[in-house]
mmCIF file of all heavy atoms in Angstrom:
data_model
loop_
_atom_site.group_PDB
_atom_site.id
_atom_site.type_symbol
_atom_site.label_atom_id
_atom_site.label_comp_id
_atom_site.label_asym_id
_atom_site.label_seq_id
_atom_site.Cartn_x
_atom_site.Cartn_y
_atom_site.Cartn_z
ATOM 1 N N ALA S 1437 21.680 124.948 139.181
ATOM 2 C CA ALA S 1437 22.028 123.690 138.532
ATOM 3 C C ALA S 1437 23.462 123.719 138.055
ATOM 4 O O ALA S 1437 24.149 122.645 138.143
ATOM 5 C CB ALA S 1437 21.077 123.565 137.237
ATOM 6 N N ILE S 1438 24.022 124.812 137.656
ATOM 7 C CA ILE S 1438 25.385 124.831 137.212
ATOM 8 C C ILE S 1438 26.334 124.631 138.406
ATOM 9 O O ILE S 1438 27.300 123.861 138.312
ATOM 10 C CB ILE S 1438 25.683 126.194 136.511
ATOM 11 C CG1 ILE S 1438 24.996 126.272 135.179
ATOM 12 C CG2 ILE S 1438 27.202 126.387 136.355
ATOM 13 C CD1 ILE S 1438 25.173 127.567 134.410
ATOM 14 N N LEU S 1439 26.054 125.311 139.506
ATOM 15 C CA LEU S 1439 26.924 125.225 140.689
ATOM 16 C C LEU S 1439 26.833 123.828 141.366
ATOM 17 O O LEU S 1439 27.728 123.409 142.025
ATOM 18 C CB LEU S 1439 26.634 126.342 141.677
ATOM 19 C CG LEU S 1439 26.867 127.729 141.187
ATOM 20 C CD1 LEU S 1439 26.667 128.770 142.264
ATOM 21 C CD2 LEU S 1439 28.286 127.865 140.581
ATOM 22 N N GLU S 1440 25.686 123.196 141.194
ATOM 23 C CA GLU S 1440 25.539 121.813 141.680
ATOM 24 C C GLU S 1440 26.388 120.888 140.877
ATOM 25 O O GLU S 1440 27.052 119.941 141.364
ATOM 26 C CB GLU S 1440 24.107 121.414 141.671
ATOM 27 C CG GLU S 1440 23.850 120.030 142.204
ATOM 28 C CD GLU S 1440 22.400 119.554 142.201
ATOM 29 O OE1 GLU S 1440 21.496 120.454 141.939
ATOM 30 O OE2 GLU S 1440 22.099 118.391 142.468
ATOM 31 N N LYS S 1441 26.386 121.079 139.557
ATOM 32 C CA LYS S 1441 27.176 120.178 138.662
ATOM 33 C C LYS S 1441 28.649 120.546 138.760
ATOM 34 O O LYS S 1441 29.529 119.630 138.781
ATOM 35 C CB LYS S 1441 26.681 120.378 137.216
ATOM 36 C CG LYS S 1441 27.486 119.673 136.159
ATOM 37 C CD LYS S 1441 27.251 118.128 136.231
ATOM 38 C CE LYS S 1441 27.912 117.389 135.083
ATOM 39 N NZ LYS S 1441 27.712 115.953 135.151
ATOM 40 N N TYR S 1442 28.978 121.834 138.814
ATOM 41 C CA TYR S 1442 30.374 122.285 138.854
ATOM 42 C C TYR S 1442 30.560 123.242 140.031
ATOM 43 O O TYR S 1442 30.504 124.474 139.825
ATOM 44 C CB TYR S 1442 30.764 122.922 137.524
ATOM 45 C CG TYR S 1442 30.621 122.063 136.310
ATOM 46 C CD1 TYR S 1442 29.605 122.253 135.393
ATOM 47 C CD2 TYR S 1442 31.500 121.005 136.069
ATOM 48 C CE1 TYR S 1442 29.381 121.455 134.275
ATOM 49 C CE2 TYR S 1442 31.413 120.243 134.919
ATOM 50 C CZ TYR S 1442 30.344 120.423 134.042
ATOM 51 O OH TYR S 1442 30.213 119.629 132.925
ATOM 52 N N PRO S 1443 30.687 122.745 141.234
ATOM 53 C CA PRO S 1443 30.808 123.607 142.406
ATOM 54 C C PRO S 1443 31.984 124.593 142.358
ATOM 55 O O PRO S 1443 33.075 124.242 141.744
ATOM 56 C CB PRO S 1443 30.985 122.663 143.564
ATOM 57 C CG PRO S 1443 30.539 121.319 143.055
ATOM 58 C CD PRO S 1443 30.834 121.335 141.600
ATOM 59 N N VAL S 1444 31.850 125.742 142.908
ATOM 60 C CA VAL S 1444 32.908 126.744 142.913
ATOM 61 C C VAL S 1444 34.054 126.202 143.796
ATOM 62 O O VAL S 1444 33.826 125.800 144.915
ATOM 63 C CB VAL S 1444 32.429 128.106 143.522
ATOM 64 C CG1 VAL S 1444 33.620 129.021 143.617
ATOM 65 C CG2 VAL S 1444 31.307 128.656 142.634
ATOM 66 N N LYS S 1445 35.243 126.213 143.228
ATOM 67 C CA LYS S 1445 36.445 125.822 143.942
ATOM 68 C C LYS S 1445 37.647 126.480 143.232
ATOM 69 O O LYS S 1445 37.418 127.353 142.332
ATOM 70 C CB LYS S 1445 36.617 124.305 144.075
ATOM 71 C CG LYS S 1445 36.437 123.573 142.822
ATOM 72 C CD LYS S 1445 36.404 122.038 143.112
ATOM 73 C CE LYS S 1445 36.142 121.288 141.764
ATOM 74 N NZ LYS S 1445 36.080 119.780 141.997
ATOM 75 N N ASP S 1446 38.851 126.043 143.560
ATOM 76 C CA ASP S 1446 39.995 126.777 143.050
ATOM 77 C C ASP S 1446 40.029 126.888 141.513
ATOM 78 O O ASP S 1446 40.402 127.879 140.914
ATOM 79 C CB ASP S 1446 41.326 126.020 143.548
ATOM 80 C CG ASP S 1446 41.496 126.208 145.003
ATOM 81 O OD1 ASP S 1446 40.899 127.137 145.574
ATOM 82 O OD2 ASP S 1446 42.286 125.428 145.603
ATOM 83 N N ASP S 1447 39.603 125.749 140.834
ATOM 84 C CA ASP S 1447 39.659 125.720 139.392
ATOM 85 C C ASP S 1447 38.440 126.296 138.730
ATOM 86 O O ASP S 1447 38.417 126.400 137.470
ATOM 87 C CB ASP S 1447 39.912 124.298 138.887
ATOM 88 C CG ASP S 1447 41.298 123.794 139.312
ATOM 89 O OD1 ASP S 1447 42.191 124.604 139.523
ATOM 90 O OD2 ASP S 1447 41.492 122.547 139.398
ATOM 91 N N TYR S 1448 37.439 126.615 139.465
ATOM 92 C CA TYR S 1448 36.208 127.172 138.912
ATOM 93 C C TYR S 1448 35.983 128.560 139.524
ATOM 94 O O TYR S 1448 35.868 128.682 140.749
ATOM 95 C CB TYR S 1448 34.997 126.267 139.288
ATOM 96 C CG TYR S 1448 35.067 124.884 138.677
ATOM 97 C CD1 TYR S 1448 35.807 123.873 139.229
ATOM 98 C CD2 TYR S 1448 34.402 124.625 137.442
ATOM 99 C CE1 TYR S 1448 35.893 122.610 138.734
ATOM 100 C CE2 TYR S 1448 34.442 123.344 136.909
ATOM 101 C CZ TYR S 1448 35.182 122.340 137.507
ATOM 102 O OH TYR S 1448 35.251 121.089 136.960
ATOM 103 N N VAL S 1449 35.869 129.548 138.693
ATOM 104 C CA VAL S 1449 35.788 130.952 139.200
ATOM 105 C C VAL S 1449 34.538 131.598 138.648
ATOM 106 O O VAL S 1449 34.325 131.661 137.456
ATOM 107 C CB VAL S 1449 37.015 131.731 138.689
ATOM 108 C CG1 VAL S 1449 36.920 133.183 139.174
ATOM 109 C CG2 VAL S 1449 38.300 131.105 139.155
ATOM 110 N N LEU S 1450 33.666 132.045 139.594
ATOM 111 C CA LEU S 1450 32.417 132.688 139.217
ATOM 112 C C LEU S 1450 32.622 134.189 139.330
ATOM 113 O O LEU S 1450 33.070 134.730 140.376
ATOM 114 C CB LEU S 1450 31.318 132.271 140.179
ATOM 115 C CG LEU S 1450 29.945 132.925 139.973
ATOM 116 C CD1 LEU S 1450 29.408 132.662 138.544
ATOM 117 C CD2 LEU S 1450 28.950 132.409 141.054
ATOM 118 N N ASP S 1451 32.319 134.840 138.236
ATOM 119 C CA ASP S 1451 32.511 136.318 138.158
ATOM 120 C C ASP S 1451 31.118 136.957 137.818
ATOM 121 O O ASP S 1451 30.709 136.914 136.658
ATOM 122 C CB ASP S 1451 33.519 136.701 137.110
ATOM 123 C CG ASP S 1451 33.691 138.197 136.886
ATOM 124 O OD1 ASP S 1451 33.119 138.975 137.763
ATOM 125 O OD2 ASP S 1451 34.327 138.619 135.977
ATOM 126 N N LYS S 1452 30.463 137.527 138.791
ATOM 127 C CA LYS S 1452 29.153 138.186 138.589
ATOM 128 C C LYS S 1452 29.401 139.703 138.467
ATOM 129 O O LYS S 1452 28.720 140.549 139.095
ATOM 130 C CB LYS S 1452 28.227 137.930 139.749
ATOM 131 C CG LYS S 1452 27.731 136.487 139.902
ATOM 132 C CD LYS S 1452 26.756 136.382 140.998
ATOM 133 C CE LYS S 1452 26.182 135.018 141.198
ATOM 134 N NZ LYS S 1452 25.216 134.907 142.316
ATOM 135 N N GLY S 1453 30.357 140.086 137.638
ATOM 136 C CA GLY S 1453 30.574 141.527 137.418
ATOM 137 C C GLY S 1453 31.686 142.089 138.319
ATOM 138 O O GLY S 1453 32.140 143.195 138.060
ATOM 139 N N GLU S 1454 32.102 141.348 139.356
ATOM 140 C CA GLU S 1454 33.125 141.910 140.242
ATOM 141 C C GLU S 1454 34.454 142.019 139.536
ATOM 142 O O GLU S 1454 35.200 142.990 139.820
ATOM 143 C CB GLU S 1454 33.286 140.973 141.456
ATOM 144 C CG GLU S 1454 32.058 140.771 142.299
ATOM 145 C CD GLU S 1454 31.261 139.534 141.879
ATOM 146 O OE1 GLU S 1454 31.528 138.988 140.807
ATOM 147 O OE2 GLU S 1454 30.366 139.172 142.631
ATOM 148 N N LEU S 1455 34.759 141.077 138.631
ATOM 149 C CA LEU S 1455 36.059 141.140 137.933
ATOM 150 C C LEU S 1455 35.971 141.781 136.577
ATOM 151 O O LEU S 1455 36.933 142.401 136.148
ATOM 152 C CB LEU S 1455 36.578 139.708 137.788
ATOM 153 C CG LEU S 1455 36.788 138.866 139.098
ATOM 154 C CD1 LEU S 1455 37.235 137.451 138.757
ATOM 155 C CD2 LEU S 1455 37.768 139.588 139.989
ATOM 156 N N ASN S 1456 34.775 141.635 135.934
ATOM 157 C CA ASN S 1456 34.757 142.184 134.545
ATOM 158 C C ASN S 1456 34.028 143.513 134.519
ATOM 159 O O ASN S 1456 33.955 144.184 133.433
ATOM 160 C CB ASN S 1456 33.946 141.192 133.670
ATOM 161 C CG ASN S 1456 32.502 140.999 134.064
ATOM 162 O OD1 ASN S 1456 31.652 141.831 133.808
ATOM 163 N ND2 ASN S 1456 32.162 139.876 134.764
ATOM 164 N N SER S 1457 33.554 144.029 135.628
ATOM 165 C CA SER S 1457 32.988 145.401 135.720
ATOM 166 C C SER S 1457 31.899 145.612 134.652
ATOM 167 O O SER S 1457 31.871 146.641 133.962
ATOM 168 C CB SER S 1457 34.051 146.488 135.595
ATOM 169 O OG SER S 1457 35.033 146.290 136.602
ATOM 170 N N SER S 1458 30.986 144.673 134.511
ATOM 171 C CA SER S 1458 29.914 144.790 133.547
ATOM 172 C C SER S 1458 28.680 144.067 134.091
ATOM 173 O O SER S 1458 28.715 143.548 135.181
ATOM 174 C CB SER S 1458 30.332 144.202 132.196
ATOM 175 O OG SER S 1458 30.345 142.759 132.270
ATOM 176 N N ASN S 1459 27.641 144.056 133.305
ATOM 177 C CA ASN S 1459 26.395 143.363 133.754
ATOM 178 C C ASN S 1459 26.414 141.880 133.284
ATOM 179 O O ASN S 1459 25.410 141.171 133.439
ATOM 180 C CB ASN S 1459 25.181 144.005 133.053
ATOM 181 C CG ASN S 1459 23.913 143.637 133.653
ATOM 182 O OD1 ASN S 1459 23.788 143.403 134.866
ATOM 183 N ND2 ASN S 1459 22.855 143.370 132.772
ATOM 184 N N ARG S 1460 27.554 141.421 132.760
ATOM 185 C CA ARG S 1460 27.654 140.005 132.329
ATOM 186 C C ARG S 1460 28.111 139.135 133.484
ATOM 187 O O ARG S 1460 28.753 139.594 134.440
ATOM 188 C CB ARG S 1460 28.636 139.905 131.163
ATOM 189 C CG ARG S 1460 28.205 140.555 129.918
ATOM 190 C CD ARG S 1460 29.051 140.227 128.711
ATOM 191 N NE ARG S 1460 29.040 138.764 128.385
ATOM 192 C CZ ARG S 1460 29.627 138.274 127.331
ATOM 193 N NH1 ARG S 1460 30.270 139.018 126.472
ATOM 194 N NH2 ARG S 1460 29.614 136.946 127.114
ATOM 195 N N VAL S 1461 27.806 137.856 133.339
ATOM 196 C CA VAL S 1461 28.280 136.842 134.259
ATOM 197 C C VAL S 1461 29.130 135.840 133.528
ATOM 198 O O VAL S 1461 28.808 135.414 132.390
ATOM 199 C CB VAL S 1461 27.149 136.080 134.936
ATOM 200 C CG1 VAL S 1461 27.644 134.929 135.849
ATOM 201 C CG2 VAL S 1461 26.279 137.051 135.758
ATOM 202 N N TYR S 1462 30.340 135.479 134.072
ATOM 203 C CA TYR S 1462 31.203 134.466 133.534
ATOM 204 C C TYR S 1462 31.464 133.460 134.600
ATOM 205 O O TYR S 1462 31.784 133.784 135.723
ATOM 206 C CB TYR S 1462 32.529 135.118 133.129
ATOM 207 C CG TYR S 1462 32.445 136.231 132.009
ATOM 208 C CD1 TYR S 1462 32.292 137.532 132.386
ATOM 209 C CD2 TYR S 1462 32.488 135.877 130.705
ATOM 210 C CE1 TYR S 1462 32.274 138.527 131.447
ATOM 211 C CE2 TYR S 1462 32.436 136.837 129.717
ATOM 212 C CZ TYR S 1462 32.332 138.156 130.081
ATOM 213 O OH TYR S 1462 32.250 139.110 129.118
ATOM 214 N N TYR S 1463 31.312 132.209 134.191
ATOM 215 C CA TYR S 1463 31.713 131.091 135.060
ATOM 216 C C TYR S 1463 32.865 130.363 134.420
ATOM 217 O O TYR S 1463 32.656 129.576 133.437
ATOM 218 C CB TYR S 1463 30.572 130.161 135.378
ATOM 219 C CG TYR S 1463 30.885 129.198 136.532
ATOM 220 C CD1 TYR S 1463 31.606 129.656 137.662
ATOM 221 C CD2 TYR S 1463 30.491 127.879 136.497
ATOM 222 C CE1 TYR S 1463 31.903 128.788 138.685
ATOM 223 C CE2 TYR S 1463 30.739 127.053 137.580
ATOM 224 C CZ TYR S 1463 31.456 127.492 138.659
ATOM 225 O OH TYR S 1463 31.759 126.645 139.721
ATOM 226 N N HIS S 1464 34.092 130.612 134.866
ATOM 227 C CA HIS S 1464 35.316 130.085 134.257
ATOM 228 C C HIS S 1464 35.514 128.665 134.653
ATOM 229 O O HIS S 1464 35.577 128.341 135.860
ATOM 230 C CB HIS S 1464 36.528 130.988 134.629
ATOM 231 C CG HIS S 1464 36.398 132.342 134.163
ATOM 232 N ND1 HIS S 1464 36.869 132.766 132.909
ATOM 233 C CD2 HIS S 1464 35.843 133.448 134.716
ATOM 234 C CE1 HIS S 1464 36.633 134.079 132.766
ATOM 235 N NE2 HIS S 1464 36.028 134.498 133.875
ATOM 236 N N MET S 1465 35.685 127.811 133.696
ATOM 237 C CA MET S 1465 35.938 126.379 133.966
ATOM 238 C C MET S 1465 37.482 126.162 134.056
ATOM 239 O O MET S 1465 38.256 127.054 133.723
ATOM 240 C CB MET S 1465 35.392 125.521 132.828
ATOM 241 C CG MET S 1465 33.931 125.896 132.435
ATOM 242 S SD MET S 1465 32.804 126.025 133.809
ATOM 243 C CE MET S 1465 32.562 124.259 134.196
ATOM 244 N N PRO S 1466 37.931 125.014 134.537
ATOM 245 C CA PRO S 1466 39.416 124.781 134.647
ATOM 246 C C PRO S 1466 40.138 125.000 133.357
ATOM 247 O O PRO S 1466 39.708 124.591 132.297
ATOM 248 C CB PRO S 1466 39.463 123.334 135.129
ATOM 249 C CG PRO S 1466 38.201 123.041 135.798
ATOM 250 C CD PRO S 1466 37.157 123.873 135.041
ATOM 251 N N VAL S 1467 41.243 125.756 133.456
ATOM 252 C CA VAL S 1467 42.062 126.025 132.304
ATOM 253 C C VAL S 1467 42.706 124.745 131.735
ATOM 254 O O VAL S 1467 43.198 123.986 132.523
ATOM 255 C CB VAL S 1467 43.138 127.067 132.639
ATOM 256 C CG1 VAL S 1467 44.063 127.317 131.441
ATOM 257 C CG2 VAL S 1467 42.504 128.370 133.106
ATOM 258 N N ILE S 1468 42.675 124.620 130.412
ATOM 259 C CA ILE S 1468 43.342 123.469 129.769
ATOM 260 C C ILE S 1468 44.700 123.908 129.345
ATOM 261 O O ILE S 1468 44.852 124.794 128.457
ATOM 262 C CB ILE S 1468 42.523 122.961 128.558
ATOM 263 C CG1 ILE S 1468 41.057 122.691 128.936
ATOM 264 C CG2 ILE S 1468 43.181 121.810 127.922
ATOM 265 C CD1 ILE S 1468 40.166 122.454 127.778
ATOM 266 N N LYS S 1469 45.745 123.400 129.979
ATOM 267 C CA LYS S 1469 47.124 123.815 129.748
ATOM 268 C C LYS S 1469 47.831 122.775 128.912
ATOM 269 O O LYS S 1469 47.718 121.571 129.122
ATOM 270 C CB LYS S 1469 47.817 124.077 131.054
ATOM 271 C CG LYS S 1469 47.236 125.146 131.920
ATOM 272 C CD LYS S 1469 48.046 125.357 133.157
ATOM 273 C CE LYS S 1469 47.472 126.475 133.996
ATOM 274 N NZ LYS S 1469 48.252 126.734 135.262
ATOM 275 N N ARG S 1470 48.608 123.315 127.965
ATOM 276 C CA ARG S 1470 49.428 122.402 127.174
ATOM 277 C C ARG S 1470 50.707 122.006 127.931
ATOM 278 O O ARG S 1470 51.406 122.838 128.413
ATOM 279 C CB ARG S 1470 49.854 123.079 125.836
ATOM 280 C CG ARG S 1470 50.682 122.142 124.942
ATOM 281 C CD ARG S 1470 50.691 122.721 123.499
ATOM 282 N NE ARG S 1470 51.445 121.750 122.646
ATOM 283 C CZ ARG S 1470 51.320 121.739 121.333
ATOM 284 N NH1 ARG S 1470 50.521 122.579 120.756
ATOM 285 N NH2 ARG S 1470 51.988 120.863 120.649
ATOM 286 N N THR S 1471 50.877 120.694 128.115
ATOM 287 C CA THR S 1471 52.047 120.213 128.854
ATOM 288 C C THR S 1471 53.166 119.810 127.930
ATOM 289 O O THR S 1471 52.984 119.780 126.691
ATOM 290 C CB THR S 1471 51.604 118.978 129.711
ATOM 291 O OG1 THR S 1471 51.407 117.883 128.869
ATOM 292 C CG2 THR S 1471 50.420 119.287 130.568
ATOM 293 N N ALA S 1472 54.285 119.495 128.493
ATOM 294 C CA ALA S 1472 55.462 119.108 127.711
ATOM 295 C C ALA S 1472 55.233 117.805 127.021
ATOM 296 O O ALA S 1472 55.938 117.476 126.029
ATOM 297 C CB ALA S 1472 56.678 119.053 128.609
ATOM 298 N N PHE S 1473 54.262 117.035 127.519
ATOM 299 C CA PHE S 1473 53.989 115.714 126.889
ATOM 300 C C PHE S 1473 52.892 115.737 125.786
ATOM 301 O O PHE S 1473 52.657 114.737 125.187
ATOM 302 C CB PHE S 1473 53.525 114.720 127.983
ATOM 303 C CG PHE S 1473 54.500 114.624 129.149
ATOM 304 C CD1 PHE S 1473 54.304 115.292 130.311
ATOM 305 C CD2 PHE S 1473 55.658 113.851 128.999
ATOM 306 C CE1 PHE S 1473 55.208 115.145 131.385
ATOM 307 C CE2 PHE S 1473 56.573 113.771 130.043
ATOM 308 C CZ PHE S 1473 56.305 114.438 131.244
ATOM 309 N N ASP S 1474 52.315 116.908 125.593
ATOM 310 C CA ASP S 1474 51.228 117.024 124.633
ATOM 311 C C ASP S 1474 51.792 117.383 123.230
ATOM 312 O O ASP S 1474 52.622 118.325 123.124
ATOM 313 C CB ASP S 1474 50.244 118.171 125.033
ATOM 314 C CG ASP S 1474 49.354 117.734 126.193
ATOM 315 O OD1 ASP S 1474 49.012 116.547 126.289
ATOM 316 O OD2 ASP S 1474 48.983 118.635 126.985
ATOM 317 N N ASN S 1475 51.332 116.689 122.209
ATOM 318 C CA ASN S 1475 51.553 117.175 120.848
ATOM 319 C C ASN S 1475 50.288 117.856 120.483
ATOM 320 O O ASN S 1475 49.266 117.937 121.214
ATOM 321 C CB ASN S 1475 51.883 116.036 119.879
ATOM 322 C CG ASN S 1475 50.798 114.944 119.913
ATOM 323 O OD1 ASN S 1475 49.650 115.219 120.138
ATOM 324 N ND2 ASN S 1475 51.216 113.680 119.694
ATOM 325 N N ASP S 1476 50.228 118.442 119.250
ATOM 326 C CA ASP S 1476 49.035 119.183 118.817
ATOM 327 C C ASP S 1476 47.760 118.365 118.956
ATOM 328 O O ASP S 1476 46.747 118.801 119.373
ATOM 329 C CB ASP S 1476 49.238 119.666 117.397
ATOM 330 C CG ASP S 1476 50.219 120.817 117.274
ATOM 331 O OD1 ASP S 1476 50.628 121.342 118.292
ATOM 332 O OD2 ASP S 1476 50.630 121.180 116.100
ATOM 333 N N GLU S 1477 47.828 117.110 118.440
ATOM 334 C CA GLU S 1477 46.630 116.233 118.415
ATOM 335 C C GLU S 1477 46.086 116.024 119.804
ATOM 336 O O GLU S 1477 44.878 116.127 120.036
ATOM 337 C CB GLU S 1477 46.992 114.930 117.686
ATOM 338 C CG GLU S 1477 45.718 114.066 117.520
ATOM 339 C CD GLU S 1477 46.068 112.788 116.751
ATOM 340 O OE1 GLU S 1477 47.264 112.589 116.368
ATOM 341 O OE2 GLU S 1477 45.154 111.946 116.574
ATOM 342 N N ASN S 1478 46.962 115.648 120.749
ATOM 343 C CA ASN S 1478 46.520 115.443 122.099
ATOM 344 C C ASN S 1478 45.880 116.626 122.722
ATOM 345 O O ASN S 1478 44.814 116.561 123.392
ATOM 346 C CB ASN S 1478 47.715 114.916 122.992
ATOM 347 C CG ASN S 1478 48.251 113.611 122.574
ATOM 348 O OD1 ASN S 1478 47.531 112.865 121.903
ATOM 349 N ND2 ASN S 1478 49.485 113.337 122.936
ATOM 350 N N TYR S 1479 46.516 117.712 122.543
ATOM 351 C CA TYR S 1479 46.123 119.032 123.171
ATOM 352 C C TYR S 1479 44.769 119.453 122.612
ATOM 353 O O TYR S 1479 43.808 119.712 123.398
ATOM 354 C CB TYR S 1479 47.162 120.119 122.915
ATOM 355 C CG TYR S 1479 46.884 121.447 123.556
ATOM 356 C CD1 TYR S 1479 46.426 121.579 124.810
ATOM 357 C CD2 TYR S 1479 47.169 122.596 122.824
ATOM 358 C CE1 TYR S 1479 46.233 122.814 125.409
ATOM 359 C CE2 TYR S 1479 46.977 123.851 123.356
ATOM 360 C CZ TYR S 1479 46.502 123.957 124.636
ATOM 361 O OH TYR S 1479 46.284 125.161 125.214
#
């Protein structure tokens, strides 16, 4: 269900222990980056 809603691609990274060397699973969503046009409130 998660991969159907948010398919794995460049901005979505699935880590089933390969990167974190543990029994945990992490599904990283796209990073929210502060741009030059963002003030605190927008960000």
Side-chain angles (χ1 to χ4, degrees):
I1438 289 176
L1439 297 185
E1440 182 179 351
K1441 176 71 173 179
Y1442 301 107
V1444 175
K1445 50 188 176 182
D1446 291 343
D1447 293 335
Y1448 295 83
V1449 179
L1450 178 58
D1451 177 11
K1452 292 184 178 180
E1454 300 91 348
L1455 302 177
N1456 65 79
S1457 302
S1458 74
N1459 192 41
R1460 293 189 63 173
V1461 175
Y1462 298 93
Y1463 193 38
H1464 297 270
M1465 314 311 284
V1467 175
I1468 305 169
K1469 298 182 179 180
R1470 181 164 185 160
T1471 70
F1473 304 102
D1474 286 328
N1475 56 32
D1476 287 349
E1477 184 177 359
N1478 294 339
Y1479 183 42

